[in-house]
């Protein structure tokens, strides 16, 4: 298996800035990031990057501003590009004490271009704010049901940019499955220039793309092309070169469409079954080491999953690379969680939602594993404010990419005003958990009752052609808690609950997909909202937060593996 990260720019020098950074925690009594005098900060501690300072015991639970600093030695003066895999919750980035960017997009990969200044020693400083109020973290609200960590979640890389024209990204879209024909769409900063191209290990040869200003397009057949499928996840690479730059993109030849009530991969109907997964661990927060991401995917494959919903934010490129290689199908969505109407009305929130959604599509466009785009988990699509935002976000995705269907996990399936705007209808529901009617002898019977009702609603002519995903359903269980009555919070109730859900899914082909809530327990808000969240964790994991299996794992495995 390949270990190179894509896109790869072989003509550029890459400095990986991961490792140990100088660190200072400034607390929550400081002004907003823009007003902080970074030159006056005294660094008195160390912190790893990637890493979340508040995942370490010393800073656990702390909210405020933290500063990370690293020294960079440069042999030459050059134009630089800083690629920041993701931070949280808001950041200000300074190079030699001059601001090069403000990052307000938690979990998003962003890039900043700037002049290095003279050869020699330079300092990169990242001020990170994890305070939970709208000014300091407009895209992450205090009531989100997952912990809002502070830190540099993903890798920090510095590239020297070539003089002259250079590649941005090159998007590869499958045009014809039978002939392995693909369309390449790219942008060359600096304008049109002669290009050479080679697939896989072939020596690049001159090509004649069609240019529209600095954008180019061309269609080609991939020699020796093989389709990407979950069973045989064949990947190809394409290398493009100009006189000054080169780029290697990895892609898969495959199509995904939503038609006639089906999700079709390479024209074949798919049934998706798997989990909602947060990319987090108590010891690391969302700065997940590769070992843990691989271990999670291994556990999911052992259960027989073919699908993961990357809830509720853009995924790390490394995780998507792993899914590409292992043949796991992914729903990727931009950050959002039941955002309140007053927040959804805010122009800044709406703008940032659009920016992060566009960025997600641009960053992840070449991953064959990504088969669905989503946004705004449970975001008020039953109301006109929410409706307009959902429609605007759907339009952003369609502007960027029409080669995959889009969806949105609604909790208002019966009252949604937007089902026509989604290619795939997805709904979250927790019958027999949140709506246990008083004194009901057997709350598990609520599952079939409620799902029957929802599916009858989706049998109307306007919905009948749309595929349907049950995007969340589940019950909480405290790891190790056994009870002869199988009461709420017991592992037994959860196992019975998921058994019932899987049986229902098996016998209702109208449901094209099932994402159980959730893969593993995850830290969430502490007091005072934690009343329904014992231990201040969301305990609906089939595994606990350390990935120890609850009995439900065996139940799910029996069902999922029998469908493979
Ligand atoms: C919602 C939400 C999840 C989680 C879940 C629950 O559906 O989308 O993130 O909070 O509820 O456990 O209640």
């Amino acid at each position: 298996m390949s270990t190179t990260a894509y896109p790869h720019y072989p003509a550029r020098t890459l400095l990986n800035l991961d490792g140990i950074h100088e660190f200072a925690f400034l607390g929550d009594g400081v002004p907003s990031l823009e007003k902080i005098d970074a030159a006056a900060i005294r660094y008195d501690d160390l912190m790893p990057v990637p890493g979340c300072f508040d995942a370490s015991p010393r800073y656990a639970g702390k909210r405020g501003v933290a500063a990370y600093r690293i020294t960079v030695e440069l042999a030459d003066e050059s134009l630089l590009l800083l690629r920041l895999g993701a931070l949280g919750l808001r950041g200000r980035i300074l190079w030699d004490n001059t601001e090069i960017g403000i990052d307000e997009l938690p979990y998003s990969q962003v890039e900043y271009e700037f002049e290095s200044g003279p050869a020699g020693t330079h300092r990169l400083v990242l001020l990170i704010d994890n305070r939970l109020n709208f000014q300091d973290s407009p895209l992450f609200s205090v009531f989100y049901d997952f912990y809002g960590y502070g830190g540099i979640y993903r890798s920090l890389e510095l590239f020297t940019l070539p003089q002259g024209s250079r590649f941005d990204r090159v998007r590869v879209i499958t045009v014809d499955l039978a002939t392995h024909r693909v369309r390449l769409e790219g942008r060359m900063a600096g304008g049109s220039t002669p290009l050479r191209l080679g697939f896989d290990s072939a020596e690049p040869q001159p090509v004649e793309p069609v240019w529209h200003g600095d954008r180019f397009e061309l269609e080609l057949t991939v020699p020796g092309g093989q389709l990407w499928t979950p069973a045989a996840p064949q990947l190809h690479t394409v290398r493009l070169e100009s006189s000054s730059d080169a780029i290697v993109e990895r892609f898969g030849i495959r199509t995904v469409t939503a038609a006639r009530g089906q999700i079709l991969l390479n024209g074949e109907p798919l049934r998706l079954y798997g989990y909602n997964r947060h990319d987090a661990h108590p010891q690391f927060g969302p700065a997940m080491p590769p070992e843990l991401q691989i271990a999670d995917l291994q556990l999911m494959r052992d259960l027989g999953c073919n699908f993961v919903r990357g809830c509720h934010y853009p995924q790390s490129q490394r995780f998507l690379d792993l899914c590409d290689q292992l043949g796991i199908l992914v729903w990727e969505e931009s950050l959002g969680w039941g955002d309140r109407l007053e927040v959804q009305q805010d122009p800044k929130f709406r703008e940032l939602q659009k920016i992060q959604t566009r960025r997600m599509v641009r960053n992840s466009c070449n991953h064959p594993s990504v088969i669905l785009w989503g946004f705004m988990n449970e975001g008020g699509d039953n109301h006109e404010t929410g409706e307009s935002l959902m429609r605007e976000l759907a339009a952003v995705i369609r502007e960027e990419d029409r080669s995959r269907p889009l969806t949105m996990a609604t909790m208002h399936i019966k009252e949604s005003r937007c089902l026509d705007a989604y290619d795939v209808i997805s709904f979250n529901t927790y019958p027999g958990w949140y709506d246990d009617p008083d004194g009901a002898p057997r709350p598990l019977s609520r599952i079939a009752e409620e799902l029957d009702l929802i599916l009858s609603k989706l049998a109307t002519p306007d919905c009948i052609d749309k595929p349907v995903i049950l995007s969340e359903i589940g019950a909480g269980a405290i790891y190790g808690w056994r009870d002869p009555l199988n009461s709420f919070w017991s592992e037994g109730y959860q196992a019975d609950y998921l058994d019932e859900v899987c049986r229902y899914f098996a016998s209702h082909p109208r449901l094209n997909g099932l994402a159980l809530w959730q893969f593993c327990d995850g830290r969430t808000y502490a007091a005072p909202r934690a009343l329904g969240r014992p231990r201040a964790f969301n305990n609906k994991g089939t595994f606990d937060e350390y990935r120890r299996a609850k009995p439900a794992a065996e139940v799910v495995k029996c069902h999922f593996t029998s469908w493979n």
Side-chain angles (χ1 to χ4, degrees), residues 222-480:
V222 182
Q226 285 180 292
L227 299 193
W228 185 95
T229 65
Q234 294 291 342
L235 293 165
H236 292 279
T237 57
V238 61
R239 180 183 176 117
L240 282 105
E241 294 176 356
S242 71
S243 55
S244 48
D245 200 11
I247 185 170
V248 184
E249 295 272 9
R250 189 168 72 175
F251 65 97
I253 305 174
R254 64 106 184 87
T255 56
V256 195
T257 44
R260 300 181 305 282
Q262 299 284 356
I263 301 172
L264 303 162
L265 183 83
N266 300 336
E268 301 285 330
L270 268 181
R271 261 201 129 200
L272 305 168
Y273 37 92
Y275 276 94
N276 285 275
R277 174 185 173 276
H278 273 295
D279 197 38
H281 183 280
Q283 217 178 328
F284 303 96
M288 286 283 281
E291 300 83 316
L292 291 180
Q293 290 182 328
I294 290 176
D296 282 2
L297 287 167
Q298 286 166 341
L299 286 174
M300 278 193 250
R301 287 174 98 200
D302 288 346
L303 294 192
C305 303
N306 64 8
F307 176 53
V308 59
R309 174 175 173 222
C311 59
H312 296 301
Y313 35 74
Q315 299 296 290
S316 83
Q317 290 298 307
R318 187 182 55 218
F319 183 74
L320 297 178
D321 281 342
L322 295 171
C323 293
D324 290 346
Q325 290 173 269
L326 295 172
I328 302 274
L329 302 162
V330 183
W331 159 337
E332 191 181 15
E333 66 190 23
S334 46
L335 174 61
W337 194 92
D339 294 282
R340 302 198 167 137
L341 288 178
E342 56 279 17
V343 173
Q344 292 192 38
Q345 269 157 4
D346 185 277
K348 174 156 185 179
F349 177 82
R350 293 173 83 90
E351 194 49 33
L352 290 177
Q353 278 294 341
K354 287 187 247 175
I355 294 173
Q356 62 144 351
T357 301
R358 193 180 295 284
R359 191 160 284 286
M360 169 183 77
V361 177
R362 291 189 178 173
N363 286 334
S364 303
C365 58
N366 283 342
H367 290 288
S369 58
V370 176
I371 56 159
L372 274 171
W373 300 122
F375 46 79
M376 293 289 293
N377 172 61
E378 298 190 344
D381 62 340
N382 58 335
H383 185 277
E384 69 178 320
T385 304
E387 175 183 1
S388 62
L389 182 54
M390 300 315 132
R391 290 188 187 280
E392 285 169 28
L393 292 172
V396 164
I397 291 179
R398 293 202 171 98
E399 255 168 57
E400 287 292 326
D401 180 29
R402 287 182 171 267
S403 75
R404 294 165 173 92
L406 65 82
T407 190
M408 179 262 173
T410 181
M411 68 182 293
H412 302 290
I413 185 68
K414 296 177 199 142
E415 314 87 41
S416 170
R417 300 157 65 116
C418 309
L419 297 187
D420 65 295
Y422 314 139
D423 303 314
V424 174
I425 295 175
S426 300
F427 63 97
N428 300 348
T429 184
Y430 290 83
W433 180 253
Y434 289 126
D435 68 348
D436 170 26
D438 275 351
R442 198 170 168 273
L444 287 179
S445 63
R446 287 286 302 123
I447 296 172
E449 283 164 22
E450 181 67 8
L451 293 178
D452 282 348
L453 193 70
I454 292 173
L455 291 190
S456 68
K457 146 123 190 139
L458 299 178
T460 54
D462 46 329
C463 294
I464 202 74
D465 278 340
K466 302 220 178 201
V468 178
I469 295 180
L470 172 47
S471 41
E472 284 184 31
I473 188 162
I478 306 292
Y479 179 80

